[in-house]
């Protein structure tokens, strides 16, 4: 089992910044995928950013809507993932969920943290 604790959500105005953090504990060995998803009211959960570890240092993938504004990274201890969110827009509002996985096993979800961006 893996437990995830998220923090860093909040309310900001358009153009503001927030940094989300997610700390994984438990059976965290060989976690090779860490990422963030979000769900806006009335919409499906969508991928925001993911970082996949690999022999060449890993790769990152972002939703088109956040490219150039959001940055995902892992902490030195490898059990933490961050999402730096800059130039926030009202359409970034939603509940942000941390997701980790030890492929090919099923992944784990955090409890979610609310991000609200006002115009």
């Amino acid at each position: 089992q893996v437990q995830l604790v998220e923090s860093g959500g909040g309310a900001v105005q358009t153009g503001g910044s927030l940094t989300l953090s997610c700390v994984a504990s438990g059976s965290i060995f060989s976690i090779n995928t860490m990422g963030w998803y979000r769900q806006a009211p009335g919409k499906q959960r969508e991928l925001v950013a993911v970082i996949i570890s690999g022999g060449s240092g890993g790769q990152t993938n972002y939703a088109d809507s956040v490219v150039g504004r959001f940055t995902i990274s892992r902490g030195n201890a490898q059990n933490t993932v961050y999402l730096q969110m800059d130039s926030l827009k009202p359409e970034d509002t939603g509940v942000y969920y941390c997701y980790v996985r030890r492929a090919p096993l099923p992944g784990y979800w955090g409890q979610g943290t609310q991000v609200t961006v006002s115009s």
Side-chain angles (χ1 to χ4, degrees):
Q1 290 288 335
V2 175
Q3 294 78 43
L4 301 173
V5 178
E6 301 147 331
S7 61
V12 296
Q13 293 187 328
T14 297
S17 298
L18 286 172
T19 301
L20 305 183
S21 301
C22 174
V23 179
S25 61
S27 300
I28 62 173
F29 58 91
S30 298
I31 286 178
N32 50 22
T33 300
M34 302 188 82
W36 292 92
Y37 286 70
R38 68 186 178 191
Q39 188 166 18
K43 295 187 177 181
Q44 291 188 336
R45 192 172 298 187
E46 63 176 357
L47 173 70
V48 176
V50 64
I51 184 165
I52 301 171
S53 300
S56 60
Q59 67 178 47
T60 56
N61 291 309
Y62 295 91
D64 290 343
S65 60
V66 307
V67 169
R69 300 188 298 121
F70 291 11
T71 303
I72 189 171
S73 62
R74 287 183 74 165
N76 290 333
Q78 296 295 300
N79 69 326
T80 304
V81 62
Y82 303 99
L83 185 68
Q84 175 66 41
M85 304 186 294
D86 298 316
S87 303
L88 283 161
K89 304 176 181 180
E91 50 264 44
D92 295 318
T93 294
V95 179
Y96 283 68
Y97 297 91
C98 178
Y99 173 80
V100 303
R101 186 183 181 209
R102 294 177 287 154
L105 299 176
Y108 296 86
W109 294 93
Q111 79 283 0
T113 184
Q114 177 70 43
V115 172
T116 303
V117 185
S118 59
S119 57

